[in-house]
Amino acid sequence: RLQASLSAHESGVRSARFRSDGRRVVTASDDKTARIWDTDSGRLLVTLSGHTGEVRTAELSPDGSRVVTASADKTARIWDADSGRLQTEYKGHQGEVESAMWSPDGKQVASTDGNAGLHIWDASTGRLQAELGQEEDHLTQAVYSPDGTRLVAISRSGSARVWEVKTGRLVCEERGHLYRITDV
């Protein structure tokens, strides 16, 4: 049965992710916003405004206190999940930011951009810690392993690569997919 309807975006929704306790959902939209919703009532709690391009992904931090957004405006941003106030803006991407994900401990953010870049950022300071994957592939998504020691990134060309976070060493690469990988 339908529990709640979440409707306020003025354009298509690209992603929706739950907070770890299931009580909140954050959505990312082509209307250049991300929004946080109460899942019990469907009530809109916070609108995250400020991006000048489509918001491709939005994800709540492991503790639910912050949101990271990835945008076509070549930035990733961290917001306070209660007030909607911008905390940090990650600049330095060479292309549109396709995804941004929290590490399991909430201390890092990994982002991918349209110029094959995989960036690892310090979540508290906003400083770039590492750049991986500067290759020919257009990386579309990166996800941390559950223990936070590795990152897997996928590309439009159908490749998947796994890196060690601490050393930046490429662990393995799979190029056997015939088409684009859409999720990891």
Side-chain angles (χ1 to χ4, degrees):
R1 113 185 138 85
L2 179 65
Q3 201 166 341
S5 179
L6 312 177
S7 58
H9 283 293
E10 298 170 11
S11 193
V13 174
R14 288 187 177 247
S15 76
R17 297 225 167 78
F18 279 100
R19 188 171 72 182
S20 60
D21 65 4
R23 305 289 309 254
R24 301 282 184 268
V25 166
V26 63
T27 54
S29 173
D30 286 346
D31 68 7
K32 304 176 187 172
T33 68
R35 298 175 192 248
I36 302 171
W37 310 83
D38 178 273
T39 57
D40 291 330
S41 67
R43 185 170 60 95
L44 175 63
L45 301 174
V46 178
T47 299
L48 309 174
S49 299
H51 280 293
T52 59
E54 300 89 7
V55 179
R56 303 277 169 82
T57 62
E59 182 178 81
L60 286 147
S61 61
D63 68 2
S65 67
R66 299 173 290 167
V67 173
V68 64
T69 55
S71 174
D73 66 9
K74 299 183 181 180
T75 68
R77 299 178 183 191
I78 291 184
W79 312 79
D80 181 275
D82 292 324
S83 69
R85 186 177 48 83
L86 178 64
Q87 293 181 334
T88 307
E89 184 174 18
Y90 301 134
K91 295 181 179 180
H93 296 92
Q94 299 302 308
E96 297 178 355
V97 182
E98 298 287 343
S99 73
M101 294 286 190
W102 293 97
S103 62
D105 63 7
K107 293 181 180 179
Q108 292 179 327
V109 168
S111 62
T112 59
D113 71 35
N115 283 2
L118 172 56
H119 310 274
I120 301 173
W121 308 88
D122 181 295
S124 60
T125 66
R127 290 186 45 226
L128 182 64
Q129 293 182 319
E131 252 182 319
L132 309 172
Q134 294 295 329
E135 301 166 29
E136 74 282 354
D137 281 350
H138 180 120
L139 299 179
T140 57
Q141 186 184 29
V143 176
Y144 282 90
S145 61
D147 65 3
T149 62
R150 293 183 174 192
L151 272 167
V152 60
I154 58 173
S155 74
R156 283 192 178 163
S157 70
S159 70
R161 294 180 183 94
V162 177
W163 284 274
E164 284 183 351
V165 173
K166 190 174 184 178
T167 66
R169 181 179 72 85
L170 182 63
V171 176
C172 64
E173 178 177 17
E174 170 58 47
R175 290 189 174 267
H177 296 277
L178 299 177
Y179 302 102
R180 176 183 181 178
I181 303 170
T182 58
D183 195 31
V184 64

